Amino acid sequence: MLLVPAGTAQAAPGDNPNKLTTITSSSELSKLQLVEHRVPTASLDHLANEMGTSRGVDQVLASANHPMRNAADCYGTETAALPVKPTAESAYCWDTGDAVTQDWLPQSVTSSGDADNDGVWGTNKVILSGWGQNGTTTTDHTGRIAFIDANDPNNLKYRWVLPVIPLNGGTDYRALKSHRGGMVWYQDKLIVTSWEKDSDNNVMYIFDMKRILQATVNSSAVGKVSGGWSADGYQYVMPAVGSYSLAGGACSSTNDDSRPCFGSISLDRSSVPDSLVATEWFSSGGTELARIWRYDFSSEPGYLATDSSSHVNASAAYETNAVGLQGVLSHSATSGGTPNFYVDDARGGVGQHGIL
């Protein structure tokens, strides 16, 4: 296990990224600044009125049509990927078709445990898993989200939902192109990271868990079609209600001196106020060192805190001596105290276990 307290501790022998260094330079912090963009409420309402009444998470769960397999029913190749130390207390595997596809890759996870302090959304325990298309077998880079009904630990099941971007005042929509490297469900909003080559330079999109809409036509198209609304065969869509772009322009994953491309995000409820923590990703085989930073949440449910210019500024940022980071978790033993950071490295290559 690799545990990195902010600014002080050393990593485990053999995996030695050393201590974190606080970033104080205004020019470096400016590279992390975001601009918030809201989709007009009138556009979202128009889309909902055209497609029908918004659905709730409970309705999506009630229509779950993919059973998850318990550990005893998992394939040997799946159980071989489980953690070596410490061992997993429980494990589940995807429905067979999703488990063997090479076109989609699971990338991120969040849950009702993030969304609300009591761990449930309404009366439901929910896990969300973000998947992105495999860039070596597909070119669309579309993403999808599994809404997992986790109420019964012996009978997990899920339904796919397609995140979309509203177009033309809510008269149409397109699929969101994102590999879902990071995803956070906080209060009634879901924040997901975007694809590096998004033409809008957006690094994160915001979705409202109360604005889930149902497709009316089953076809391979996405958007408004003859006879209604289609979602490439998926039953539900989630239209984005906003997004965040880097204030300075597009991100770049070529080096750690550029504006960062968001690799993963997570929620920290031990900070004051609650905050979103992010890291950038570079290949484990490279030499570029990853940064870790955080943004405070605002008092408006699910949105990040902005200044008078709708800019979101990093409330803390650090340089690491680690490469290949693909996940980050920040937590302090006391409210508002000095955090510890847990980071993971997938190590690259099929058949290799990562480290935390």
Side-chain angles (χ1 to χ4, degrees):
M1 176 177 290
L2 180 61
L3 173 61
V4 186
T8 56
Q10 302 290 319
D15 296 294
N16 188 21
N18 267 308
K19 65 182 182 181
L20 299 177
T21 302
T22 302
I23 297 175
T24 58
S25 164
S26 58
S27 62
E28 291 301 312
L29 289 172
S30 69
K31 297 175 183 177
L32 309 175
Q33 188 181 65
L34 305 176
V35 180
E36 183 183 78
H37 312 277
R38 299 278 184 104
V39 176
T41 301
S43 298
L44 296 167
D45 289 344
H46 179 83
L47 182 61
N49 290 334
E50 288 292 309
M51 294 186 67
T53 305
S54 294
R55 310 304 187 205
V57 173
D58 55 341
Q59 292 170 287
V60 176
L61 298 180
S63 69
N65 59 342
H66 293 275
M68 297 199 76
R69 291 170 289 134
N70 293 327
D73 298 319
C74 293
Y75 304 132
T77 52
E78 293 171 319
T79 56
L82 290 172
V84 175
K85 185 179 181 180
T87 57
E89 294 183 3
S90 59
Y92 304 91
C93 293
W94 300 101
D95 194 6
T96 303
D98 294 325
V100 299
T101 181
Q102 296 300 304
D103 293 337
W104 292 90
L105 300 174
Q107 297 283 351
S108 54
V109 66
T110 186
S111 74
S112 53
D114 285 338
D116 207 332
N117 279 323
D118 63 6
V120 296
W121 184 251
T123 59
N124 291 300
K125 291 183 178 179
V126 191
I127 301 171
L128 304 182
S129 176
W131 289 45
Q133 284 187 314
N134 184 352
T136 61
T137 62
T138 60
T139 58
D140 287 340
H141 296 281
T142 300
R144 61 183 182 178
I145 300 172
F147 278 58
I148 304 171
D149 179 347
N151 289 301
D152 181 355
N154 295 314
N155 184 32
L156 269 63
K157 50 191 175 182
Y158 60 98
R159 162 74 75 171
W160 290 112
V161 174
L162 183 70
V164 297
I165 307 300
L167 301 173
N168 306 322
T171 60
D172 204 352
Y173 57 77
R174 65 170 174 84
L176 171 64
K177 295 185 177 182
S178 168
H179 79 303
R180 297 294 186 283
M183 187 166 64
V184 164
W185 182 2
Y186 181 64
Q187 298 178 340
D188 64 352
K189 302 298 189 299
L190 181 67
I191 301 177
V192 304
T193 58
S194 184
W195 186 40
E196 175 182 348
K197 297 180 181 179
D198 187 323
S199 60
D200 299 323
N201 297 333
N202 291 312
V203 291
M204 294 187 293
Y205 281 88
I206 316 161
F207 298 86
D208 190 328
M209 301 300 285
K210 298 176 182 177
R211 287 186 179 270
I212 300 174
L213 303 173
Q214 190 165 0
T216 58
V217 174
N218 185 4
S219 78
S220 60
V222 175
K224 188 170 179 60
V225 297
S226 176
W229 302 84
S230 179
D232 193 21
Y234 298 103
Q235 184 171 347
Y236 297 101
V237 298
M238 287 184 70
V241 300
S243 63
Y244 297 102
S245 64
L246 287 162
C251 73
S252 173
S253 59
T254 57
N255 62 74
D256 58 3
D257 292 321
S258 303
R259 289 178 291 274
C261 294
F262 284 51
S264 64
I265 55 176
S266 63
L267 172 67
D268 185 356
R269 284 188 178 273
S270 67
S271 63
V272 179
D274 296 345
S275 60
L276 182 143
V277 182
T279 186
E280 61 187 328
W281 175 84
F282 299 107
S283 171
S284 298
T287 59
E288 298 297 329
L289 305 177
R291 289 164 286 188
I292 297 173
W293 63 98
R294 75 172 70 238
Y295 303 107
D296 292 340
F297 278 102
S298 72
S299 57
E300 185 176 6
Y303 288 101
L304 300 178
T306 60
D307 60 21
S308 59
S309 300
S310 294
H311 287 160
V312 180
N313 298 297
S315 56
Y318 308 93
E319 292 178 338
T320 76
N321 287 314
V323 299
L325 301 187
Q326 290 195 308
V328 60
L329 176 66
S330 170
H331 182 264
S332 171
T334 59
S335 179
T338 300
N340 289 324
F341 289 90
Y342 301 82
V343 296
D344 70 296
D345 179 0
R347 290 297 178 91
V350 176
Q352 297 186 47
H353 280 86
I355 61 168
L356 174 65

